[in-house]
Amino acid sequence: AYNIARPTKASDYTFTTQARYQFQFKPDGTKVWVGDAFQGYIETFDLSTAWDVSTMSAGTISSSLGTARPDRMRVSPDGTRLYVSDNGNFFGQYDITTPWDVSTINLASKTVISNVIGAGDSFTFSSDGLSLYHAPGGGTQVIYMYNLTTAWDATTASTTANYTYTFPLIYNASNVRFEWIRLGQNDTKVWVGV
């Protein structure tokens, strides 16, 4: 588990449109949320066989999130909160009235949290929801960690980073940016995409 040194493709799914930059599976593997970076909405796909993307079928499209480009998104494990980092606009949090039901995203509940994460930046949470990790754009190759006083509530994040880690320069390129970050194996490993 968590060994990506030599992955092999088990199955695939081809989207009908491009700009599907971010996705997240429901913990039981029966649904996946996909952000459309150009249209400003999120689409869900049902999987008839858990975790097998070849069994995906189109589900529901959310109402417009009122964003220009929701480049980065995450959903809390219980499916009651959506987090979006919009390229050029904001980082924010939405409530979801019915867990994992994209049609019940409460647009009026949007809370902008601009003091923590910049627009369009990559982010992820610890498995217990009490830490928020942020990889800013540009060529900094740094990850910041913010503590949350309430699990999975990004509005309670500390206003300044509690910890900062600077990676060795990747590919010796100062303009490389982290496109996404994820934690795994009980938060003992971090993956970054550039």
Side-chain angles (χ1 to χ4, degrees):
Y2 296 102
N3 184 356
I4 60 173
R6 294 183 179 274
T8 57
K9 184 177 75 171
S11 58
D12 59 20
Y13 179 90
T14 302
F15 293 105
T16 57
T17 61
Q18 297 180 352
R20 305 302 179 90
Y21 294 160
Q22 293 290 303
F23 64 92
Q24 182 174 345
F25 283 90
K26 187 178 177 182
D28 65 5
T30 61
K31 190 182 292 289
V32 61
W33 285 39
V34 181
D36 189 305
F38 289 166
Q39 302 300 319
Y41 61 74
I42 293 173
E43 186 172 3
T44 61
F45 296 80
D46 297 317
L47 289 78
S48 57
T49 301
W51 304 106
D52 185 349
V53 296
S54 68
T55 68
M56 284 171 55
S57 60
T60 306
I61 297 177
S62 72
S63 298
S64 172
L65 298 177
T67 70
R69 289 187 60 178
D71 281 347
R72 311 286 182 260
M73 55 150 277
R74 300 295 289 163
V75 182
S76 60
D78 65 1
T80 62
R81 286 201 172 104
L82 167 68
Y83 316 92
V84 173
S85 178
D86 181 296
N87 188 1
N89 289 289
F90 69 92
F91 169 73
Q93 172 177 292
Y94 299 82
D95 293 331
I96 305 170
T97 306
T98 302
W100 291 101
D101 184 346
V102 73
S103 67
T104 68
I105 296 173
N106 183 355
L107 300 180
S109 70
K110 180 177 77 173
T111 303
V112 176
I113 313 163
S114 58
N115 61 311
V116 176
I117 293 178
D121 291 349
S122 184
F123 65 93
T124 195
F125 291 86
S126 59
S127 58
D128 60 8
L130 288 172
S131 296
L132 174 62
Y133 298 84
H134 163 219
T140 56
Q141 299 179 26
V142 174
I143 290 181
Y144 300 100
M145 183 192 80
Y146 299 85
N147 292 331
L148 281 67
T149 56
T150 302
W152 303 106
D153 185 353
T155 66
T156 68
S158 52
T159 56
T160 57
N162 299 100
Y163 182 78
T164 302
Y165 178 78
T166 302
F167 283 79
L169 198 61
I170 298 176
Y171 304 128
N172 293 319
S174 60
N175 63 343
V176 171
R177 63 172 293 177
F178 292 148
E179 293 296 336
W180 56 264
I181 56 173
R182 292 292 181 267
L183 300 178
Q185 204 160 325
N186 298 318
D187 297 347
T188 62
K189 293 187 183 295
V190 60
W191 287 269
V192 295
V194 295

